[in-house]
Amino acid sequence: MTARDWFDRAQKEGFAIGAFNVDNMDIFKAVCLAGKNKKSSVMLEFSQGEVSYFGLKNIVDLTVNARQEYGIPILLNLDHAKSAEDCIAAVEQAGFDDVHFDGSDLPFEKNVEETKKVVENAHKKGLLVEGEIDKISTLSEVHNEEIDLELLKKSYTDPTKAAKFVKETGVDILAAVFGNVHGIFPVQPDLDIDLLSKIREAVPSCFLSLHGSSGIPADQVKTAINVGKIVKVNLNTELRVAYREAIGEELSENPEEYASYKLASDVILAVAAVVENKIDVFGSAGKI
Ligand code: 13P
């Protein structure tokens, strides 16, 4: 099944596929293991920093090998690429299923122009393209500062603008912004589900993704999947937190161990437990 087939099915059956950021090799293994344990397809995704750590070709080769090793459908996504050229490089590399061109820093017309370039290239090779018009300005980390809700609301997706963007670019997936932010905050903003249903109506033939799912309570994520027919839910910070906590514990429990791979198995299990829980929330368990 292609990524489009998976998302079509997810939309019909009311579940979403987790798009999990891969920060390092332990997290890579944890996501694949969780998918296997839960009989779920998973999407591996790599942000710009994560791509520069792994290298584009390694990412594809590792994913191809993992599909065989774990025996589950593993989709591959380039996450928040800020240049059309980076997206086209991933398209040319072959092995990706989806590229996310994040032109939200650009003026609307320039974003349309660049996104169209990516769509033209990606569609020739059968890849999906995710587009974005609203900037999620926070990083995937644990924040101590409070969110300014009034300011945040200014960056929410305008359904009319979203419809124009989807029509003019031909993107397959839209990264909708309606209270979702990257990272975990002392008080996580609530999702604006009314706005989500308006966005859904405005772009009926486009898949929707939910970025920044770390820290959002499970019931809100489930409602968003249900109301917005969201098919892709991105998760990063909670994986990074689980990894840091687990590696910290391993290092303090094994002060004389210098072979880091010997510490990895418990770390992988700890991160996999988080992914398994998310797979349950997203509803993709048992779908393969
Ligand atoms: P979180 O770090 O909030 O989970 O967001 C990740 C994300 O949306 C990556 O695109």
Side-chain angles (χ1 to χ4, degrees), residues 109-180:
E109 292 308 334
K110 185 70 182 162
N111 187 0
V112 167
E113 191 187 310
E114 293 299 296
T115 306
K116 268 167 81 173
K117 246 193 251 173
V118 176
V119 169
E120 270 162 30
N121 277 274
H123 282 184
K124 269 190 222 150
K125 306 245 172 159
L127 272 73
L128 300 183
V129 177
E130 181 170 353
E132 178 164 350
I133 51 176
D134 309 291
K135 192 173 167 58
I136 305 177
S137 55
T138 53
L139 295 177
S140 286
E141 57 193 28
V142 178
H143 298 262
N144 295 317
E145 74 277 17
E146 301 284 338
I147 285 216
D148 180 340
L149 205 54
E150 288 317 305
L151 192 66
L152 183 73
K153 283 183 182 166
K154 294 199 171 107
S155 69
Y156 286 10
T157 302
D158 170 358
T160 311
K161 205 166 145 195
K164 183 172 157 65
F165 179 74
V166 168
K167 186 162 175 264
E168 290 184 10
T169 59
V171 285
D172 308 283
I173 309 167
L174 179 74
V177 180
F178 50 98
N180 44 321

Side-chain angles (χ1 to χ4, degrees), residues 15-60:
F15 68 90
I17 292 174
F20 300 102
N21 280 88
V22 180
D23 209 49
N24 61 43
M25 202 55 212
D26 291 344
I27 294 180
F28 182 102
K29 290 186 178 199
V31 175
C32 297
L33 178 66
K36 184 178 174 183
N37 288 345
K38 283 287 173 185
K39 297 187 171 41
S40 167
S41 58
V42 288
M43 181 173 259
L44 298 174
E45 65 175 10
F46 294 80
S47 65
Q48 283 182 307
E50 290 156 354
V51 169
S52 61
Y53 165 73
F54 277 97
L56 208 54
K57 186 161 175 3
N58 290 334
I59 287 170
V60 171

Side-chain angles (χ1 to χ4, degrees), residues 234-252:
N234 291 32
L235 186 87
N236 192 351
T237 310
E238 287 191 40
L239 304 179
R240 290 177 169 178
V241 169
Y243 174 81
R244 270 178 64 108
E245 283 174 359
I247 194 77
E249 244 170 65
E250 284 301 306
L251 288 170
S252 68

